[in-house]
Amino acid sequence: MVTTTITDAVPGMTAVEQQPLLVVRDLRKHFAVKGGFLGRTQAVVQAVDNVTFDVMKGETLGIVGESGCGKSTTARVIMHLIEPDAGEVIFDGQAVGHSDGIGYRELYRNVQMVFQDSYSSLNPRLPIALSVAFGPMVHGMLRGAALERAASVLGQVGLDSANFANRYSHELSGGQRQRVNIARALALEPKLILLDEAVSSLDKSIEAQVLNLLFDLKREFDLTYIFISHDLNVVRYISDRVLVMYLGKVAEIGSVEAVYTNPQHPYTQALLSSMPSMDPRRRTEQAPLTGDPPNPINPPSGCRFRTRCPFAEDICAGTPPRLTSRPEHGISQQVACHMHDPSSGHSRAMATEAARP
Amino acid sequence: MVSKTDNTVIVVDPAEALRRARQGRGYWRRVWERLRGDWGTLSVIGIILLILLAAAFAPFVATHDPMQGSILGRLKGFGYNGHILGTDETGRDLFSRIVFGARLSLITGVLPVLFALVIGGFLGVVAGYFRGFPNSVIMRGVDVLYAFPSILLAIAITGMLGSGLTNTILALTITFIPPLVRISETVTSQVRSLDFVEAARSSGARPLTIIRFHILNNMLGPVLVYTTSLISISIILAAGLSFLGLGVTPPDAEWGLMLNNLRSAIWVNPVIAALPGVMIFITSMCFNLMSDGLRQAMDVRL
Amino acid sequence: MSQDSILSVDNLSVRFRTHEGIVHAVNGVSFDLAQGEVLGILGESGSGKSVTLRAIIGLLPREYASIGGRVRFGGREIQHLSNEELNAIRGARIAMIFQEPMVAFDPVFTVGDQIAETIVRHDGASWRDAMRRARDLLELVQIPSAKRRLAAYPHEMSGGMQQRAMIALALSCNPQLLLADEPTTALDVTVQIQIILLLRELQRELGMSVIFVTHDVGVATEISDRLAVMYAGRFVETGPAVDVIEQPRHPYTDGLLSSTVLSARQGHRLNAIPGAPPDLMALPDACSFAPRCRYAEEQCLSGVPALSPITRDHATRCLRVGEGRLEL
Ligand SMILES: Nc1ncnc2c1ncn2[C@@H]1O[C@H](COP(=O)(O)OP(=O)(O)OP(=O)(O)O)[C@@H](O)[C@H]1O
Ligand SMILES: Nc1ncnc2c1ncn2[C@@H]1O[C@H](COP(=O)(O)OP(=O)(O)OP(=O)(O)O)[C@@H](O)[C@H]1O
Ligand SMILES: [Mg+2]
Ligand SMILES: [Mg+2]
């Protein structure tokens, strides 16, 4: 019943074909900030608020946004490392954690995650072969067989096991450690890998090596990626579609082509033009935004970007914008902005509406 | 702007480096390597081993029957009539009594801490790993016990249960459970928040498997260091209980009890009277120093 | 060496004695910095950027760091100064800003107090004047409602705001030279560009010289007049930013630029540099990039190549490019 309703909502895909591998519906996670006398709840961080998106088989979905906008929380909720307050995660047509859906173990066999901090995501007391073999062992493989699997996956990520299997994480460089983490994720032969800032802590020359590895693995094993990063250039390079988050909400989602060359949300536009210029003859002359992102505790009412938005009007403070697509963009691009919702009453929405033939 | 560079380089043998890397030097191996170079700690451990051996083989080490008194030879000094360390207030051989006393003193020093480590460590890991409800129940319970200073708690419990070896061990075990729950809970919840535990959870592993593979081996170092430091406290507390008449009962040899019995001799032969105290001091000091040495070798920051 | 240079570094080397061995962190860095010039130092983690800056301002621990070569600032050699003289120069004529603003501030005093205190200490101004100057400075670095912010504690400010306050603190005594150690690395892109533009504007207005350390090619491009690319404790290429970016003349710079995702096409592999940086405890007596370099030849292993000029102010530490035998 779920699968039938979603196909038409998938941006970036011509409606018919495949069913999405992962569907995330109205996901919400609020953190209570405790403090004061007897640890009463003082405030609520709306880390993830009604986030909805789909990931198609074989694609890479990039998620970008500034620090604290809820990227990692989204990933951790999808992995059920923290329980969502509301919303659904549907993997391959089956709701996760429902009686008629799939259980967590089944989910973990198919979805794996690579964490940002390559150091703390490896147990310092285990040789890396055992870290990699742990997953298969959990799923019932015998130790010997699991270690063999580990050796072959380590080989696939470019670490020959004769040299590396018995090392400990502190005996590896940052790039090598991240390869081990990728191997660990691969060891369960998942269909989907969530990469949370997987290359952010690496040097540029090492980052390029790891990106190449991800590129090759994806092709070889038919993987699907969710690639979380704050580096817009990297996301552009690796993704097919991109989701832009702002303070726990989806601001814009669409194909990389569309979003990078024709951004519709004022935040996306600002984000893209904030990227440092790579051309010394044409440096940035004016900062696209002033001020810092607001505090996710008690975020602005209505549209969360309105406090930094040059086009904000009364309507923006009143109602939160819906994620809508405009006909001229097809369904390849959806924006949560009143200016793009003809029925919103924003003056610019009217203007563009009128200008259209 | 051409600059001359200086070319001092260090030569390392690449083959040797590769061999060492291939083997992989795990945590305990590195701890051992660090410990091996630490002569101070090694000699302290040596002394502790000596005392342990002497206690274990007390019948062979002792020169006299520790229970055999003599009306004539009371409170004699070193070397009197073949008594190496002299005699006590009933003329028993002090050296032999100290050797035999080491048995009870070590038992009351080490056993309660071991029992408390098992019980407290288990509760601490449960509280630290599962957080939420189990955590509040366990930690609030511990807080209640924590309200009393450990010596008072031990006295109160033996006062209730009555004196004797078993009751002393029981009382001290209860006394040491709260600090061990605390430390295990702290370390466990620190380890639990690290990404590799999240990674293990996201491979679908059950809590018990995660604790076995990922938590225990990471919390063992800090908890062990803390535990060894408790042994010295336990030895002193046990001696204190016996001294107060709440612990081991006469005529058994136990350092605290011996100290109490020799108390009246302090004016007659102060050196002899102080001997059991000196043993308590040396032993607990050695455990303390060993704990410090292990802390360094294990690179533990508490 | 040019006349108007305010800083000149000659064959600077720094090594650290550690338990594992001697770390060769900086190995012969030489450059001149002109009045009002912005030098960007671009390099990967561990290449020695921060250590170079710390050596210039005399902040390295003397107990286990041995420093070779000369650093001249305003005609005086930094190494020969006493601690008091160094302290007088630090803050007043050379200021430094860091990646982590909290290291510059004491958490228990307000931002205004700390800036005013610095002004009083270095200029001997009255507290009232110092406070007024502090407010002007906060306005200068574009902190909104500056007057109110004087009374704020550092932790009450957001990351970008703290960074601005630290810049204000650094500027409080009109330094001639500003050393910036990755001040934008921890910031979001939208804030980063604001800080870069702010620094550029302040530098122009105040005529300061700046050394700006970063590992981000884009940031370096935005801020630098001149660029130095650092690898394993050495400058491997120096030149005007435009030349270095558009026409890299060292295989490492070239690899770095072409392995950035910008130059790559979607759906194609990146042109990555293989291997990893060398172990600073066992640097070979050769070109340190040679093991990763696809142009390396026998000769590259026969000694450390010198930084040799190609054009008037563009130099490379590559034998083959230097001798004109390699076009990148
Ligand atoms: N366990 C938690 N308890 C309370 N607040 C939390 C918790 N985890 C995250 N948050 C808050 O939720 C918000 C979103 O955090 P999240 O880690 O998802 O951001 P992010 O987009 O991944 O940022 P970054 O780029 O810095 O990693 C932040 O404001 C953060 O402080
Ligand atoms: N106090 C110190 N003691 C020992 N080694 C040090 C010390 N400070 C720096 N090093 C070493 O010197 C080398 C250069 O360090 P430096 O901090 O200059 O790197 P960097 O280029 O600033 O890198 P990053 O981008 O990570 O800040 C590194 O290998 C580092 O480990
Ligand atoms: Mg994150
Ligand atoms: Mg640095």
Side-chain angles (χ1 to χ4, degrees), chain A residues 187-219:
Chain A
L188 283 171
E189 301 182 335
K191 300 201 176 87
L192 173 67
I193 301 186
L194 279 157
L195 299 138
D196 186 4
E197 311 259 11
V199 296
S200 304
S201 60
L202 303 177
D203 270 326
K204 285 294 161 202
S205 71
I206 308 298
E207 177 187 273
Q209 297 171 4
V210 174
L211 286 174
N212 277 343
L213 173 67
L214 291 173
F215 183 89
D216 297 342
L217 290 173
K218 177 170 174 181
R219 237 203 263 176

Side-chain angles (χ1 to χ4, degrees), chain C residues 18-143:
Chain C
T18 67
H19 287 302
E20 283 76 32
I22 299 177
V23 179
H24 296 237
V26 178
N27 307 293
V29 163
S30 303
F31 65 90
D32 286 308
L33 187 67
Q35 180 74 48
E37 186 181 32
V38 182
L39 171 70
I41 300 183
L42 179 65
E44 294 184 313
S45 173
S47 56
K49 310 181 296 292
S50 303
V51 172
T52 304
L53 285 198
R54 281 164 192 277
I56 291 173
I57 201 172
L59 270 182
L60 290 171
R62 291 189 177 177
E63 311 83 65
Y64 62 100
S66 57
I67 304 169
R70 289 189 313 166
V71 178
R72 290 171 70 84
F73 174 72
R76 303 218 286 165
E77 294 210 9
I78 294 276
Q79 289 97 313
H80 298 157
L81 299 180
S82 67
N83 269 334
E84 290 80 65
E85 288 171 309
L86 261 181
N87 275 333
I89 286 190
R90 267 186 232 143
R93 301 182 58 201
I94 309 182
M96 185 154 174
I97 56 180
F98 305 88
Q99 175 173 338
E100 200 29 77
M102 290 306 278
V103 305
F105 286 107
D106 190 329
V108 300
F109 295 105
T110 64
V111 169
D113 282 353
Q114 294 187 56
I115 297 177
E117 208 262 341
T118 314
I119 297 173
V120 170
R121 183 153 38 91
H122 283 291
D123 286 9
S126 76
W127 187 257
R128 271 177 68 99
D129 286 349
M131 261 313 192
R132 185 146 2 99
R133 284 252 299 277
R135 199 195 61 213
D136 293 346
L137 281 165
L138 290 191
E139 268 162 16
L140 187 68
V141 297
Q142 298 159 16
I143 288 183

Side-chain angles (χ1 to χ4, degrees), chain C residues 49-50 181-182 213:
Chain C
K49 310 181 296 292
S50 303
D181 191 356
E182 313 211 25
V213 157

Side-chain angles (χ1 to χ4, degrees), chain A residues 245-296:
Chain A
M245 273 185 93
Y246 189 77
L247 284 188
K249 294 254 190 203
V250 179
E252 181 161 2
I253 181 170
S255 69
V256 160
E257 244 330 278
V259 173
Y260 277 76
T261 53
N262 191 16
Q264 297 298 313
H265 197 288
Y267 175 63
T268 317
Q269 291 164 358
L271 200 60
L272 289 172
S273 43
S274 294
M275 291 195 313
S277 149
M278 293 282 184
D279 182 353
R281 293 178 202 275
R282 272 191 293 148
R283 294 169 164 187
T284 311
E285 287 307 331
Q286 171 114 45
L289 286 181
T290 55
D292 295 358
N295 200 330

